[in-house]
Amino acid sequence: MTAGLEHYLGVSALLFGLGLVGVLLRGNLILMYLSLELMLNAASLALVAFDRFNGTRNGQILVFFIITVAAAEVAVGLALLVALYRKRQTAQVEDLTGMKL
Amino acid sequence: MHSLPWIILFAPLLAAAGITLFTLRNPARSALLSVSAVAVAFVLSVVAFLVFPAPSAPVELSGVWLAVGSLQVEFGVRLDPLSLVMLLIVTGVGGVIHVYSCGYMRGDRGTGRYFACLSFFTFSMLLVVLATNFLQLFIGWELVGLSSYLLIGFWYERESAAEACKKAFLTNRLGDVGFLLGIILVWATLGSLHFGELAAVLETTPGALGAVASLAGLLVFCGAMGKSAQFPLHVWLPDAMEGPTPVSALIHAATMVAAGVYLLCRVFFLLEATPAWPDAAPAWLDGITALGVVGWIGGVTALLAALIAVQQDDIKRILAYSTLSQLGYMMMAVGLSAPVPAMFHLATHAFFKALLFLGAGAVIVSLHHEQNIWRMGGLHARMPATAWTFLIATLALCGVPPFSGFFSKDAILAAALDPARGSGGLFLVGVAVAFLTAFYMTRLVLVTFQGTPRSAPASEAVETSPVMKWPLVVLAVPAALAGFWSIDRFLDRHFHPAAAAPASGWFEQWVAPLVHAPLAVLLSLVAVGLGFYTAYLLYRGAATDPLPAKLGLLARGMRAKFYLDELNAWCIRLTHDALARLADWIDRWIIAGVMVRGTHGTTELVGRALRLVQSGNLQTYVLVVVLGIAAVLWLALGPRP
């Protein structure tokens, strides 16, 4: 039995769901960040799978961009997290309610 | 010749503009400008009168001013016997009063403003007099109302003056609404506003106005009722005496209040048109004609005002009510289809009533602004020139031959006796008013000028300065002699161009009333004599008024002006105030309450509710976003209905 498109998409959906649950339920900002990356990678996996089964290249180009942007985003995001931690001494999302009225 | 009427018209306006722009702070120069403008206008009016051509051909100079669709409005000047007589009165009497004002207003802080307003008034009045069409006349009419407002409220820091000018303006507005509706009705029916064209149309086909003839006449009469202070819109005129006395003389006795009579004579063809009412009108209206209403309103005003004048104590108010009464006479004459006597009386009245007011002004100035006649007395010896001229004007007003008022008043009474168009009821009213006029004027003269001084200022009064004395003397001449100047014969040319009046000598004119209508002359002379006699008996040497004790309730009613002001106030409370309360309620509860505060309240409530959604919890937001995306996807990709 060879792996078909549906298997790839199933893995992708699983990863995406895990990421989403992580973002929604974990309180630590770093873990939420990791979950976000998981969701991005799920999307990348789905795109690459589509390309592979359709014989096109467009999705792969898009994935390159996603990886590049994700790398930059991680750099900025982690820097923000470190700055936040230095200022507030916490990385728990429940403590960051400064935008509430 | 062609620029003549234009110069007459615009000279006072130029003076008003010049004073307002340059000399407002310089009383002497303002007075000079104003007086010279009216003097130029008077001299040119005399010239225009002398060179006025054929009797029946009016001179008209005009250009199209406004053209909107089929409505062509001209701006022009019209010279015919009617406007020439008015020109001479306005500029002549006005000129004398301008000179008198120089003395009366000496030392007042607002002299510049006063003369600017006075010149502006002269311009507006000339605009009314020279108008060639309804719209131009209406513009002048409103400007006259405005300048009257400004001059009544001249001493605006006095509360009574501020109230009086407001009252005058609003009451006039009430009449002007009717006037404007009348103008619109005439235009809608006949398609023209030009006096000459309208007159020509109505002369060839008297029924051209159709079913609205009576209505149009009465609506135009509304305007005259406001300006000429006819019952029930008469209430503003006595209060208008709050203005400076020369203003009372010029505007509220001689010229502006006469504008209503002038208007009716100018559009007499409209009143004369075949009376008719729209089909929908109730049947009892059929017997009522515009002329009949005019006549009876005039009669009621004349009688009512004369009765009130009997019990007033303020020298200017007595004269104001007398003015009302005489205006009623003129209206009565118009109503009796006798415009010539109406205009004749307007002319003579302008002379003697202006003289009376100027005399009253001289007395008031000499007594340091005392106006109550019971604090005067014995002034004849101290102010002989004023007293003599006042006496001449009084005799003219009462209609004693050979003074001017006798001729004009008897022309009106004769018209009332005329079998074709007269009315016995109005004749009796006229005779009763003649009696009352003699009575209250004798009371005024006896109490003011005879007897002993009843206050300190009265015992120290002296004759006024020459600049105020000489105008009295100048005005006394026409007041005494205007009856012989054939003003009526000159006016006859306007109303009956075909019938050339026979030339007659001095003596024939003197006795003409006697020959023409002996009954009218005799009855009115008897009434006047009776008035003199009873007043003489009652007020000879009286220190207080003996009449309230004799007449009781009637005298109290006269003193309180028959409670008409109170009645008006009550009506206004009943209607206007209720309306105001309703509007206030709607504003307070519907507009401000429900609409404004409702909108604001709903927005705020929703805002407060939505604020609760902002929990500040990042993960809740994410959940909402995810659910939102799921919902969008469901809508975009879900099962189609």
Side-chain angles (χ1 to χ4, degrees):
Chain A
M1 173 194 152
T2 51
L5 179 60
E6 61 275 15
H7 298 108
Y8 288 100
L9 289 185
V11 174
S12 169
L14 200 66
L15 282 176
F16 191 87
L18 279 172
L20 186 61
V21 172
V23 169
L24 285 179
L25 297 182
R26 300 310 294 255
N28 192 303
L29 275 174
I30 296 189
L31 287 174
M32 285 171 75
Y33 218 85
L34 287 177
S35 309
L36 266 179
E37 293 303 315
L38 210 57
M39 287 164 77
L40 274 177
N41 284 325
S44 302
L45 181 62
L47 286 168
V48 172
F50 281 128
D51 262 16
R52 174 76 178 75
F53 284 89
N54 287 338
T56 56
R57 299 277 184 278
N58 303 347
Q60 297 182 32
I61 294 170
L62 199 55
V63 168
F64 276 120
F65 276 103
I66 291 177
I67 290 169
T68 321
V69 171
E73 183 214 325
V74 168
V76 175
L78 284 177
L80 280 173
L81 275 181
V82 170
L84 196 68
Y85 186 80
R86 281 190 184 154
K87 196 167 169 60
R88 296 280 182 88
Q89 309 298 322
T90 175
Q92 288 301 115
V93 75
E94 296 86 9
D95 299 333
L96 303 173
T97 55
M99 295 287 275
K100 192 178 161 185
L101 266 173
Chain B
M1 172 69 199
H2 285 299
S3 51
L4 212 60
W6 294 109
I7 300 175
I8 297 173
L9 178 59
F10 284 109
L13 181 65
L14 278 179
I19 293 170
T20 316
L21 291 175
F22 303 115
T23 69
L24 211 50
R25 292 180 197 292
N26 188 333
R29 265 187 223 158
S30 306
L32 185 69
L33 252 177
S34 186
V35 169
S36 46
V38 76
V40 165
F42 176 63
V43 170
L44 292 183
S45 301
V46 171
V47 173
F49 177 76
L50 292 177
V51 301
F52 184 67
S56 56
V59 178
E60 203 170 303
L61 312 164
S62 61
V64 174
W65 170 57
L66 193 72
V68 185
S70 62
L71 175 66
Q72 291 261 340
V73 179
E74 289 173 338
F75 190 89
V77 289
R78 183 185 171 90
L79 288 183
D80 52 16
L82 198 59
S83 60
L84 275 171
V85 167
M86 282 300 281
L87 261 188
L88 289 172
I89 294 172
V90 172
T91 56
V93 177
V96 173
I97 292 171
H98 274 67
V99 173
Y100 177 91
S101 300
C102 301
Y104 192 87
M105 300 305 289
R106 181 166 293 151
D108 195 282
R109 274 189 307 126
T111 307
R113 183 163 57 90
Y114 172 84
F115 277 106
C117 290
L118 209 59
S119 280
F120 184 67
F121 165 77
T122 310
F123 161 72
S124 323
M125 190 67 207
L126 291 174
L127 194 61
V128 170
V129 168
L130 291 170
T132 61
N133 58 61
F134 264 121
L135 198 67
Q136 193 188 343
L137 192 142
F138 189 72
I139 293 169
W141 192 260
E142 294 298 316
L143 291 182
V144 164
L146 168 69
S147 35
S148 153
Y149 168 82
L150 291 174
L151 284 166
I152 296 172
F154 180 72
W155 287 312
Y156 53 83
E157 57 289 318
R158 246 198 251 156
E159 200 186 331
S160 53
E163 289 293 323
C165 67
K166 226 162 34 189
K167 185 173 179 181
F169 199 70
L170 290 177
T171 316
N172 269 306
R173 253 343 36 69
L174 214 60
D176 290 347
V177 171
F179 186 24
L180 192 58
L181 286 178
I183 293 176
I184 294 171
L185 191 60
V186 168
W187 177 69
T189 323
L190 297 179
S192 171
L193 289 174
H194 189 271
F195 292 135
E197 287 171 19
L198 289 173
V201 167
L202 282 172
E203 197 172 0
T204 46
T205 45
L209 270 167
V212 297
S214 297
L215 194 62
L218 285 180
L219 282 173
V220 170
F221 176 55
C222 271
M225 252 163 88
K227 211 49 96 228
S228 288
Q230 294 299 296
F231 177 84
L233 297 184
H234 68 282
V235 288
W236 68 270
L237 188 58
D239 287 12
M241 296 302 131
E242 286 296 336
T245 308
V247 168
S248 309
L250 178 60
I251 302 186
H252 306 115
T255 53
M256 182 187 98
V257 287
V261 179
Y262 170 75
L263 169 71
L264 291 189
C265 293
R266 171 59 80 201
V267 301
F268 191 66
F269 51 85
L270 202 66
L271 298 171
E272 253 185 338
T274 319
W277 289 96
D279 293 335
W284 54 265
L285 275 175
D286 284 343
I288 296 175
T289 62
L291 278 175
V293 174
V294 172
W296 275 104
I297 293 265
V300 168
T301 310
L303 193 60
L304 193 78
L307 280 173
I308 295 174
V310 168
Q311 275 295 294
Q312 296 299 308
D313 290 336
D314 183 319
I315 184 168
K316 281 179 79 180
R317 274 184 186 264
I318 297 175
L319 294 178
Y321 278 107
S322 157
T323 304
L324 277 178
S325 164
Q326 299 302 309
L327 287 168
Y329 250 124
M330 297 173 210
M331 286 294 174
M332 203 165 94
V334 173
L336 292 166
S337 304
V340 174
M343 284 301 294
F344 186 22
H345 197 56
L346 190 164
T348 57
H349 174 256
F351 297 132
F352 59 68
K353 189 52 68 64
L355 178 53
L356 282 173
F357 266 108
L358 295 190
V363 169
I364 290 168
V365 166
S366 299
L367 269 61
H368 310 297
H369 293 269
E370 175 58 64
Q371 301 199 2
N372 190 334
I373 56 171
W374 294 104
R375 300 213 193 138
M376 299 174 181
L379 292 178
H380 193 99
R382 311 199 66 91
M383 310 173 66
T386 309
W388 279 115
T389 48
F390 202 88
L391 191 66
I392 291 174
T394 302
L395 291 176
L397 170 60
C398 297
V400 174
F403 295 98
S404 60
F406 166 71
F407 295 95
S408 53
K409 190 181 268 184
D410 273 303
I412 294 175
L413 290 176
L417 272 187
D418 190 306
R421 54 196 184 176
S423 151
L426 283 179
F427 177 73
L428 289 182
V429 168
V431 172
V433 172
F435 165 74
L436 287 168
T437 308
F439 184 84
Y440 67 68
M441 284 314 290
T442 312
R443 168 178 183 260
L444 175 56
V445 169
L446 282 180
V447 172
T448 309
F449 291 102
Q450 303 299 324
T452 49
R454 280 180 297 274
S455 71
S459 51
E460 291 155 12
V462 285
E463 191 71 80
T464 47
S465 58
V467 74
M468 285 171 72
K469 193 173 86 181
W470 284 104
L472 299 180
V473 178
V474 170
L475 264 182
V477 174
L481 301 178
F484 302 115
W485 291 353
S486 5
I487 299 173
D488 47 345
R489 199 119 6 113
F490 184 66
L491 285 165
D492 237 6
R493 293 178 184 181
H494 179 78
F495 292 100
H496 314 101
S504 60
W506 209 81
F507 183 72
E508 280 83 357
Q509 269 189 51
W510 216 102
V511 294
L514 261 173
V515 179
H516 188 60
L519 184 60
V521 176
L522 285 177
L523 272 177
S524 78
L525 283 182
V526 167
V528 169
L530 213 59
F532 282 145
Y533 184 64
T534 39
Y536 184 80
L537 282 185
L538 276 172
Y539 290 100
R540 173 94 183 128
T544 52
D545 201 330
L547 211 54
K550 289 198 179 9
L551 287 180
L553 203 61
L554 182 62
R556 231 177 49 218
M558 292 170 175
R559 193 167 280 274
K561 306 154 207 162
F562 292 113
Y563 301 100
L564 283 168
D565 274 332
E566 283 76 8
L567 184 73
N568 280 352
W570 183 74
C571 283
I572 287 171
R573 252 203 318 281
L574 212 63
T575 54
H576 179 272
D577 284 11
L579 202 69
R581 257 198 294 281
L582 180 72
D584 176 64
W585 188 88
I586 290 177
D587 184 55
R588 198 180 294 257
W589 295 107
I590 307 283
I591 295 179
V594 174
M595 292 164 111
V596 175
R597 247 180 271 153
T599 315
H600 141 247
T602 318
T603 317
E604 185 176 333
L605 208 69
V606 171
R608 274 175 198 282
L610 282 176
R611 190 176 131 173
L612 298 176
V613 174
Q614 305 292 326
S615 61
N617 188 339
L618 200 58
Q619 286 170 319
T620 322
Y621 297 163
V622 174
L623 185 66
V624 172
V625 170
V626 170
L627 289 179
I629 290 172
V632 170
L633 286 177
W634 170 261
L635 281 178
L637 307 172
R640 302 269 152 204

